[in-house]
Amino acid sequence: METASFLIWALVIGAIAAFAIGSMTQAYVGKGSLAIVFSEPIPLPTVLSTVNPEAATQFQQSCDAFCSRNYREVSDRLSAVTQQEPTFAEAYHNRGRAIANLRQDREAAALLVKAGDLYLQQENPTGYEQVKQDLQTLKADRTRQA
């Protein structure tokens, strides 16, 4: 009888563990827990004289992934872009938007602030104002969910 009880408990615990591992894997690899705060990416700027072509291509591919709601891919692509082009404000801006949609608010806010700083350095008041609106939208969305 003890062997049967042990096997039943082992199966129950194994099933729970498999479910938990499957859920965590889906959350990490899949779309995870999403809160669509920002539905559109910031478009590729028309003047790209200082951005290398590879970074511009990666940026455009990240915009396509954003529209497909694959925010983890957006984050990964834009992380590579910002390593190549550390002053590419729109890359930080879109990465912040994607991370916000993945419910990682602190990291999203830090990326948006970085984008805002770069917009100011580049004398781009339109981009800076958009960042301010995005931060207010993020704050309002999280306040509403709380």
Side-chain angles (χ1 to χ4, degrees):
M1 188 67 168
E2 287 182 27
T3 304
S5 295
F6 173 77
L7 290 176
I8 291 172
W9 276 110
L11 285 173
V12 168
I13 291 171
I16 292 170
F19 176 76
I21 291 169
S23 296
M24 289 187 301
T25 302
Q26 174 61 27
Y28 182 75
V29 175
K31 291 186 178 180
S33 178
L34 299 179
I36 309 302
V37 181
F38 304 105
S39 58
E40 296 289 325
I42 300 299
L44 188 65
T46 54
V47 179
L48 289 173
S49 59
T50 61
V51 176
N52 76 48
E54 182 182 334
T57 300
Q58 284 274 32
F59 183 87
Q60 188 56 52
Q61 290 172 346
S62 75
C63 288
D64 296 341
F66 199 109
C67 292
S68 299
R69 294 185 174 187
N70 192 345
Y71 303 117
R72 193 159 317 282
E73 179 183 342
V74 173
S75 177
D76 293 344
R77 285 187 183 278
L78 292 177
S79 178
V81 168
T82 56
Q83 287 177 1
Q84 294 173 11
E85 296 289 337
T87 61
F88 195 171
E90 291 82 358
Y92 287 99
H93 197 161
N94 275 350
R95 187 162 182 240
R97 284 178 157 213
I99 293 293
N101 287 344
L102 291 171
R103 296 180 178 252
Q104 297 172 7
D105 298 342
R106 287 189 178 152
E107 185 179 355
L111 289 163
L112 290 171
V113 168
K114 174 71 173 176
D117 289 344
L118 290 170
Y119 284 134
L120 284 176
Q121 290 172 12
Q122 297 164 6
E123 297 179 2
N124 181 345
T126 305
Y128 180 73
E129 287 301 319
Q130 182 63 54
V131 166
K132 283 176 48 178
Q133 289 176 354
D134 287 357
L135 285 167
Q136 290 171 349
T137 300
L138 182 62
K139 180 181 177 184
D141 184 72
R142 296 310 181 232
T143 302
R144 190 172 39 251
Q145 288 182 6

